[in-house]
Amino acid sequence: EVQLQESGPGLVKPSQSLSLTCSVTGYSVTSNYWGWIRKFPGNKMEWMGYISYSGSTAYNPSLKSRISITRDTSKNQFFLQLNSGTTEDTATYSCARLDNSGYYFDYWGQGVMVTVSS
Amino acid sequence: DIQMTQSPASLSASLGETVSIECLASEDIYSNLAWYQQRPGKSPQLLIYYATTLQDGVPSRFSGSESGTQYSLEINSLQPEDEGDYFCQQSYKFPLTFGSGTKLEIK
């Protein structure tokens, strides 16, 4: 069974980087596409970006200058780094697998709440 | 970006009833729409993709339909486990975008 689990600090200071890890079990990150999605207070959701089976990436243009998604295939993990955090980055961050045949998410992690505050 | 306007924001229905949730796309997305369910405290679950295709393991009381740029999720014979949040997502064009969600309460 494919399982994803997010981990990382729950509190980040403004101007600092937000760094999260998604650990995947039951499937290799060298197959499919793997994405990050966040849900803001008030429930608006935003697709942040993905890393592909080959390591290529695509990002939401709204974040393009601040975001980086990388991976460690030996640990079967992928990572999110969001630089220059502001209070507007306070959200629940989720990782998910994109299906091979279409850009929809067939497996999700539980999500981790990150607060950006001094 | 493609805007997904989802309605209603919340609804309350009784066991056994049928409910419908709508998503209106700001442009043609050619059936590239997915529906998700998120039960309280759980991760989202894919229900339907390509507007009408039921994901493996999802009960047949869930169904999707489309009319132009309007997409609908129908849930028949509501069960207690159907309580939760539902949201749509267009998978036609990047950036991928989501509806604002619908909170379903079972009375």
Side-chain angles (χ1 to χ4, degrees), chain A residues 2 5 9 13 15-16 24 37 40 44-45 49-50 58 63 67 70 72 77 80 83 88 90 93 104 106-107 109:
Chain A
V2 181
Q5 179 67 60
K13 291 189 184 325
S15 80
Q16 292 187 345
V24 180
I37 304 103
F40 298 100
K44 179 187 171 186
M45 294 180 72
Y50 72 66
L63 300 167
I67 188 174
T70 57
D72 183 334
Q77 295 174 325
L80 170 70
N83 298 321
E88 294 184 353
T90 294
Y93 289 75
Y104 50 87
D106 57 0
Y107 290 94

Coordinates of all heavy atoms in Angstrom, one line a residue, chain A residues 2 5 9 13 15-16 24 37 40 44-45 49-50 58 63 67 70 72 77 80 83 88 90 93 104 106-107 109:
Chain A
V2 N 0.5 2.2 -0.8 CA 1.3 3.4 -0.9 C 0.9 4.3 0.3 O -0.3 4.5 0.6 CB 0.9 4.2 -2.2 CG1 1.8 5.5 -2.3 CG2 1.2 3.3 -3.4
Q5 N 4.0 10.3 4.3 CA 4.0 11.0 5.7 C 4.9 12.2 5.6 O 6.1 12.1 5.4 CB 4.5 10.0 6.7 CG 4.6 10.6 8.1 CD 3.2 10.9 8.7 OE1 2.4 10.0 8.8 NE2 2.9 12.1 9.0
P9 N 9.3 21.1 10.9 CA 8.9 22.0 12.0 C 7.5 22.5 11.9 O 7.1 22.9 10.8 CB 9.9 23.1 11.9 CG 11.0 22.6 11.0 CD 10.4 21.6 10.1
K13 N 9.9 31.0 11.8 CA 9.9 32.5 12.0 C 9.9 33.2 10.6 O 10.4 32.7 9.6 CB 11.2 32.9 12.7 CG 11.2 32.5 14.2 CD 12.4 33.2 14.9 CE 12.6 32.7 16.3 NZ 11.3 32.4 17.0
S15 N 10.7 35.3 7.5 CA 11.9 35.4 6.7 C 12.8 34.2 6.6 O 13.7 34.0 5.8 CB 12.8 36.6 7.2 OG 13.6 36.2 8.3
Q16 N 12.5 33.2 7.5 CA 13.2 31.9 7.5 C 12.6 31.0 6.4 O 11.5 31.2 5.9 CB 13.2 31.3 8.8 CG 14.0 32.0 9.9 CD 14.2 31.3 11.2 OE1 13.5 30.3 11.5 NE2 15.1 31.7 12.0
V24 N 8.0 8.3 1.7 CA 7.0 7.4 1.0 C 7.4 6.0 1.2 O 8.5 5.6 1.2 CB 7.2 7.7 -0.6 CG1 6.2 6.8 -1.3 CG2 6.9 9.2 -0.8
I37 N 1.0 20.2 -1.8 CA -0.3 21.0 -1.9 C -0.4 21.7 -0.5 O 0.0 21.0 0.5 CB -1.5 20.2 -2.2 CG1 -1.3 19.4 -3.4 CG2 -2.8 21.0 -2.2 CD1 -1.0 17.9 -3.2
F40 N -4.8 26.7 3.2 CA -4.7 27.8 4.1 C -5.9 27.8 5.1 O -6.9 27.2 4.8 CB -4.8 29.1 3.2 CG -3.7 29.3 2.3 CD1 -3.8 28.9 0.9 CD2 -2.4 29.7 2.7 CE1 -2.8 29.1 0.0 CE2 -1.4 29.9 1.8 CZ -1.6 29.5 0.5
K44 N -8.8 27.6 1.4 CA -8.3 27.7 0.1 C -7.1 26.7 -0.1 O -6.3 26.6 0.8 CB -7.9 29.1 -0.3 CG -7.3 29.2 -1.7 CD -6.8 30.6 -1.9 CE -6.0 30.7 -3.2 NZ -5.3 32.0 -3.4
M45 N -7.1 26.0 -1.2 CA -6.0 25.0 -1.5 C -5.2 25.5 -2.6 O -5.7 26.1 -3.6 CB -6.6 23.7 -1.8 CG -7.3 23.0 -0.6 SD -7.9 21.4 -1.0 CE -6.4 20.5 -1.1
G49 N 3.8 22.5 -6.4 CA 4.7 22.0 -7.4 C 4.8 20.5 -7.3 O 4.2 19.9 -6.5
Y50 N 5.6 20.0 -8.2 CA 5.9 18.5 -8.2 C 7.3 18.2 -8.6 O 8.0 19.1 -9.2 CB 4.9 17.8 -9.1 CG 5.1 18.0 -10.6 CD1 6.2 17.5 -11.3 CD2 4.1 18.6 -11.4 CE1 6.4 17.6 -12.7 CE2 4.3 18.7 -12.8 CZ 5.4 18.3 -13.4 OH 5.6 18.4 -14.8
A58 N 8.3 21.1 -11.5 CA 7.5 22.2 -12.0 C 6.9 22.8 -10.8 O 6.5 22.2 -9.8 CB 6.4 21.6 -12.9
L63 N 4.8 30.9 -6.8 CA 5.8 30.6 -5.8 C 7.2 30.4 -6.4 O 8.2 30.2 -5.7 CB 5.5 29.2 -5.1 CG 4.2 29.2 -4.3 CD1 3.9 27.7 -4.0 CD2 4.3 30.0 -3.1
I67 N 10.4 28.6 -4.2 CA 10.2 27.2 -3.9 C 11.3 26.3 -4.5 O 11.8 26.6 -5.6 CB 8.8 26.7 -4.4 CG1 8.5 25.3 -3.9 CG2 8.7 26.9 -5.9 CD1 7.0 24.9 -4.3
T70 N 13.0 18.8 -4.0 CA 14.1 17.9 -4.3 C 13.8 16.5 -3.8 O 12.7 16.3 -3.2 CB 15.4 18.4 -3.7 OG1 15.2 18.5 -2.3 CG2 15.9 19.7 -4.2
D72 N 15.5 12.4 -2.3 CA 16.6 11.5 -2.0 C 16.1 10.1 -2.3 O 15.3 9.5 -1.6 CB 17.0 11.6 -0.5 CG 18.1 10.8 -0.1 OD1 18.4 9.7 -0.8 OD2 18.8 11.1 0.8
Q77 N 12.4 9.6 -0.3 CA 11.8 10.8 0.2 C 11.9 11.9 -0.8 O 12.8 12.0 -1.6 CB 12.5 11.3 1.5 CG 12.4 10.3 2.7 CD 13.3 10.8 3.8 OE1 14.4 11.3 3.7 NE2 12.8 10.5 5.1
L80 N 10.3 19.7 0.4 CA 9.9 21.0 0.0 C 10.7 22.0 0.8 O 10.9 21.9 2.0 CB 8.4 21.2 0.4 CG 7.8 22.6 0.3 CD1 7.7 23.0 -1.2 CD2 6.5 22.7 1.0
N83 N 11.4 29.4 0.7 CA 12.2 30.5 1.3 C 11.4 31.7 1.6 O 10.3 31.9 1.2 CB 13.4 30.8 0.3 CG 14.2 29.7 0.0 OD1 14.6 28.9 0.9 ND2 14.6 29.5 -1.3
E88 N 1.7 34.7 5.6 CA 0.8 34.2 4.6 C 1.1 32.8 4.2 O 0.3 32.1 3.5 CB 0.7 35.1 3.4 CG 0.2 36.5 3.8 CD 0.0 37.4 2.5 OE1 0.5 37.0 1.5 OE2 -0.5 38.5 2.7
T90 N 1.4 30.4 6.4 CA 0.8 29.6 7.4 C -0.3 28.7 6.8 O -1.2 29.3 6.2 CB 0.2 30.4 8.6 OG1 1.3 31.1 9.3 CG2 -0.6 29.6 9.5
Y93 N 0.4 21.7 5.1 CA 1.1 21.2 3.9 C 1.0 19.7 3.7 O 1.2 19.0 4.7 CB 2.6 21.6 4.0 CG 2.8 23.1 3.9 CD1 2.5 24.0 5.0 CD2 3.3 23.7 2.7 CE1 2.6 25.3 4.8 CE2 3.5 25.0 2.6 CZ 3.2 25.9 3.7 OH 3.3 27.2 3.5
Y104 N -3.9 14.2 -11.4 CA -4.7 14.2 -10.2 C -4.0 13.4 -9.2 O -3.1 12.6 -9.5 CB -6.2 13.7 -10.5 CG -6.2 12.4 -11.2 CD1 -6.2 11.2 -10.5 CD2 -6.3 12.4 -12.6 CE1 -6.2 10.0 -11.2 CE2 -6.4 11.2 -13.3 CZ -6.4 10.0 -12.6 OH -6.4 8.8 -13.3
D106 N -3.7 10.6 -6.4 CA -4.3 9.4 -6.0 C -3.9 8.9 -4.6 O -4.6 8.0 -4.0 CB -4.1 8.3 -7.0 CG -2.7 7.9 -7.4 OD1 -1.8 8.6 -6.8 OD2 -2.5 7.1 -8.2
Y107 N -2.9 9.4 -4.0 CA -2.5 9.1 -2.7 C -2.0 10.4 -2.0 O -1.2 11.1 -2.6 CB -1.4 8.0 -2.6 CG -1.9 6.6 -3.0 CD1 -1.8 6.2 -4.3 CD2 -2.5 5.8 -2.0 CE1 -2.2 4.9 -4.6 CE2 -3.0 4.6 -2.4 CZ -2.9 4.1 -3.7 OH -3.3 2.9 -4.0
G109 N -0.6 12.3 1.8 CA -0.3 12.2 3.2 C -1.3 12.9 4.1 O -2.3 13.4 3.6

